[in-house]
Amino acid sequence: MNINWTTVTAIVGAALGVWNFVQGFWQRRVRLRVIPQLSVFVGTAVLSSSRDRFPPEALKALQSNECPCIEVTNLSVFPVTIAEVGLSLLGTTSRFVIPTTALPKRLEPRESIDIRAESIGFPKTAKLGYATTQCGHTCHGDSLVLKKHRESQS
């Protein structure tokens, strides 16, 4: 059997070229992980949960209320500046923006920030958490606790 090494080399080169193009395309994108959570203040510490609500008896014992919190993690390979964080609302294009003096905030790769609201609980029509970068790119995220909130409101 006679193997044409030029053809084999050309096929391998083409496959590696396609792989390099796809990898470069994904690396140049803004990627953020946005996780809506509920937080409880305990003295000077903060407990956050993206999975379940805190039991009412625990909140009473802690003398605290649940407040919405959005965790934003930069999954890009380059720094990203976060300009706005909040919750999008069902059935409308308006948003619940979490007011904070912590923004704008530059996030290095793999760095995260938690933005907490002062209000009690999620807004009744909360749909998804979102984070908007300084350049206008918006990423959305959902969590189990927000899904349970939506189910309890319907």
Side-chain angles (χ1 to χ4, degrees), residues 37-41 53 59 63-69 87 96 116-124 149 153:
Q37 301 175 343
L38 283 175
S39 294
V40 175
F41 294 95
R53 301 190 66 150
L59 293 174
Q63 297 178 348
S64 185
N65 291 318
E66 294 175 319
C67 63
C69 171
L87 295 160
F96 171 75
R116 290 177 187 79
E118 298 298 323
S119 61
I120 298 172
F122 290 119
K124 289 191 183 298
H149 171 75
Q153 297 301 317

Side-chain angles (χ1 to χ4, degrees), residues 41-150:
F41 294 95
V42 182
T44 58
V46 177
L47 299 175
S48 295
S49 173
S50 62
R51 296 183 174 263
D52 210 352
R53 301 190 66 150
F54 294 96
E57 57 274 2
L59 293 174
K60 190 174 182 181
L62 295 171
Q63 297 178 348
S64 185
N65 291 318
E66 294 175 319
C67 63
C69 171
I70 307 289
E71 178 185 348
V72 181
T73 305
N74 179 13
L75 300 177
S76 306
V77 294
F78 49 86
V80 174
T81 302
I82 305 298
E84 183 179 286
V85 172
L87 295 160
S88 59
L89 304 175
L90 285 170
T92 180
T93 57
S94 63
R95 298 174 170 176
F96 171 75
V97 179
I98 298 177
T100 181
T101 58
L103 297 177
K105 169 78 171 149
R106 180 183 167 103
L107 294 180
E108 295 297 324
R110 304 294 183 218
E111 188 178 2
S112 66
I113 185 172
D114 288 346
I115 304 294
R116 290 177 187 79
E118 298 298 323
S119 61
I120 298 172
F122 290 119
K124 289 191 183 298
T125 58
K127 179 180 176 185
L128 295 171
Y130 76 91
T132 302
T133 64
Q134 199 77 32
C135 64
H137 184 83
T138 301
C139 293
H140 294 86
D142 203 358
S143 66
L144 242 136
V145 71
L146 191 54
K147 287 177 187 175
K148 289 180 181 181
H149 171 75
R150 284 194 305 266

